[in-house]
Amino acid sequence: MPPPADIVKVAIEWPGANAQLIEMDQKRPLSSIIREVCDGWSLSGSEQFALRYADGPQLYITEQSRGDIKNGTILRLAISPGRAARQLLERIQSHGIDARLEALKELAKLSADPTFATEFINMEGIGTLARLVESGTHFGEMLAFTLTAFLELMDHGIVSWDLISLSFIKQIAGYVNQPMVDVSILQRSLAILESMVLNSHSLYHRVAQEITVGQLIGHLSNQEIQTYAIALINALFLKAPEDRRQEEYTNPLEQHLTEMASTLAQKHLRSIILNHVIRGNRPIKAEMAHQLYVLQVLTFNLLEERMMTKMDPNDQAQRDIIFELRRIAFDGENDPTGTEKRKAMYTKDYKMLGFTNHVNPAMDFTQTPPGMLALDNMLYLAKVHQDTYIRIVLENSSREDKHECPFGRCAIELTRMLCEILQVGELPNEGCNDYHPMFFTHDRAWEEFFCVCIQLLNKTWKEMRATAEDFNKVMQVVREQITRALAMKPSSIDQLKNKLRGLNYSEILRLRQSERMSQDDFQSPPIIELRERIQPEILELIKQQRLNRLCEGSCFRKLGNRRRQEKFWFCRLSLNHKVLHYGDLDESPQGEVPFELLSDKIPVSDIKSVVTGKDCPHMKEKSALKQNKEVLELAFSVLYDPDETLNFVAPNKYEYCIWTDGLCALLGREMGSDLTRSDLDTLISMEMKLRLLDLENITIPEAPPPVPKEPSSYNFTYNYS
């Protein structure tokens, strides 16, 4: 007879004593169980003790978390969180250096426990640590543990960052600005400043007064702290545009904010990142890749203002740019006749330049996006790559009208396309690592990227022998060429050119045909019937595969964690498909995580529904930074009794489809993800090819027959052996 569900068998340790093997009744109060354990070792004052896990994070067990204890778990009797917090607080304030160092070491470890952290913070522990830092008397290892404990405690979100004093900020900033500071102190100081900037608007201003991007650049050559430095640069940059939009231009911070926008475009920062990070002698880890992606997105977002600015047809300075485009293309550097004598020919010239509005081409730039950004790109091409610009314009002006590639219209539409591909104006996605090394190899990477793509567009137009009616078709092919080339991660602009040369129109057609052949099956009636017969068993196979993957489990990154030390959690389905087990991890696991290490669980019978995207509770609660399109596409939640939720953000689209499909299959509902349909098509195609090898008789009428009442009216047989 199996033991009652409320009884778990555990071992409890105490230093210097034999372990106690007990059957813990989960219906009994935890205090009663602790009293019984203390009596077993003749320990008085059971209210001063608590139970902790002996392995892993060694978290305290509370009435709320005790349900996660499983059979065979090893526990440890320890002093209660309140007593531990009080003792550590006293030892930290003691005069003995050795005693204080040991206390800080222990505090740095215990601060990750939310139960202990709550007790320590309630005893004004945060203020005590802050005063130790402000005193400036701690150095080396003692200071490192102090900063670690402070950061861990603040990370629980129990108290607001706005309570931090200016003197504390100055002291932390001083560690960053000092030339010779221990690496561990620098790492923690940069992480604390990043959290301040991201979590408090007022603290951003204070940090920006103490730290400039120029000071942070010097830390990028140190591989131990470069991730922390770039993260702080990104945090400062992320907040800077918001402050600038508030028009606080009289604020003394204006110089710092201006520096943020200009420094990111300067060669020094770019070259340091390129040489010491991207081309460094260490592989780029996930967190560094994410920070490079964020920096790339924020840099491109500087283009948003121009992208959303309409051209004023009455603004003479803006019209002069169009005049300059015409002059460079048709008049040369020195025009002895002057522009006034050629006004009668302007309409013809603007038509040859490919503008839609030949009379007033300024009207072509009144749509946003791309707004004035398109005109900026065209002027850069005409000024910096003048020979290429003139060749494109004159080459097309000499073609027949129906075959000319309209440069102006193409440049405007291409700029809009590039903004969409690179998501200009969108906030960075928290879980994305998709940075492109080539954008760090040139001071004007955006403009150079446009110049390469406009030449590609002109080349593809010729290869397709396109006419004006084919404009949208050409743009679709060019988009595919660009996205395929970017997916190859070219390391430089020149390498991008090489990738695009290999993706000419003929190659795109070949790739499309190859992909189509791998996806589409023959459409003859017998094949259609065979497909219909196979589909149910293949669909069942996919369901089983999804459930098997859920049993293996997956690792998820904790949403909202901006610490350099990443936090993870793992979730997997029990082998009998009755319970979801999940729990926190210190690092990303290599392989499966045993059920014993997953402290939380949800009975499948308690699950009410699975929701995705905007319907997820954590998507409604998160800030705008996390509510971007990519995060929404990867978000899903499990709703279970009584009104509880388990919130996920999948690491990629594949894991998202695996989990949402698997959970739907678990609840007996129909799967419907793109991945399911793709898997279904692939498996059906494979199965059909195998079965068609044994197909004995297929009869297909020469003329289309009447629509049959039943699919079996076709004459063919299968050999299922």
Side-chain angles (χ1 to χ4, degrees), residues 565-581:
Q565 183 181 357
E566 285 194 291
K567 301 289 185 180
F568 301 92
W569 67 287
F570 197 89
C571 186
R572 63 182 298 193
L573 179 65
S574 63
L575 299 181
N576 61 5
H577 298 177
K578 292 185 178 181
V579 181
L580 276 179
H581 296 268

Side-chain angles (χ1 to χ4, degrees), residues 14-85:
W14 175 255
N18 294 327
Q20 295 186 37
L21 302 178
I22 69 169
E23 293 186 351
M24 180 183 291
D25 187 351
Q26 295 287 46
K27 293 181 179 179
R28 290 178 58 193
L30 195 58
S31 57
S32 174
I33 296 173
I34 294 173
R35 186 184 311 112
E36 183 179 302
V37 171
C38 289
D39 291 341
W41 283 314
S42 301
L43 298 174
S44 59
S46 62
E47 67 278 359
Q48 296 296 319
F49 292 92
L51 292 177
R52 293 171 60 184
Y53 288 99
D55 301 318
Q58 300 182 11
L59 300 177
Y60 278 101
I61 295 169
T62 63
E63 289 289 355
Q64 291 73 32
S65 64
R66 61 182 297 181
D68 304 326
I69 302 174
K70 299 177 179 60
N71 282 318
T73 302
I74 301 176
L75 305 179
R76 179 175 298 160
L77 186 67
I79 60 175
S80 66
R83 184 180 173 189

Side-chain angles (χ1 to χ4, degrees), residues 306 309 311-312 317-325 355 361-362 364-365 370-382 407-408 411-412 415 450:
R306 294 292 285 174
T309 299
M311 187 172 186
D312 182 0
Q318 295 180 0
R319 292 170 61 88
D320 286 343
I321 300 176
I322 299 179
F323 295 156
E324 182 68 5
L325 291 174
F355 289 111
D364 287 15
F365 301 95
M372 290 295 291
L373 184 59
L375 188 59
D376 295 342
N377 287 340
M378 295 166 70
L379 184 62
Y380 180 87
L381 175 67
F407 170 73
I412 293 170
T415 301
F450 168 83

Side-chain angles (χ1 to χ4, degrees), residues 483-497:
T483 52
R484 286 182 183 272
L486 287 177
M488 300 177 191
K489 299 292 183 183
S491 59
S492 65
I493 298 294
D494 289 337
Q495 196 173 104
L496 172 69
K497 295 177 183 178

Side-chain angles (χ1 to χ4, degrees), residues 354-356 364-365 367 369-371 373-375 377-378 406-421 446 450 453-454 457 461 470-476 478-479 482:
F355 289 111
T356 303
D364 287 15
F365 301 95
Q367 289 187 356
L373 184 59
L375 188 59
N377 287 340
M378 295 166 70
F407 170 73
R409 183 185 176 191
C410 288
I412 293 170
E413 188 58 34
L414 178 63
T415 301
R416 180 187 291 110
M417 179 196 298
L418 297 183
C419 290
E420 292 174 357
I421 292 174
W446 166 264
F450 168 83
C453 293
I454 193 67
L457 195 158
W461 186 283
D470 301 318
F471 183 85
N472 291 332
K473 294 180 181 178
V474 176
M475 297 306 298
Q476 290 174 3
V478 170
R479 175 187 281 271
I482 294 171

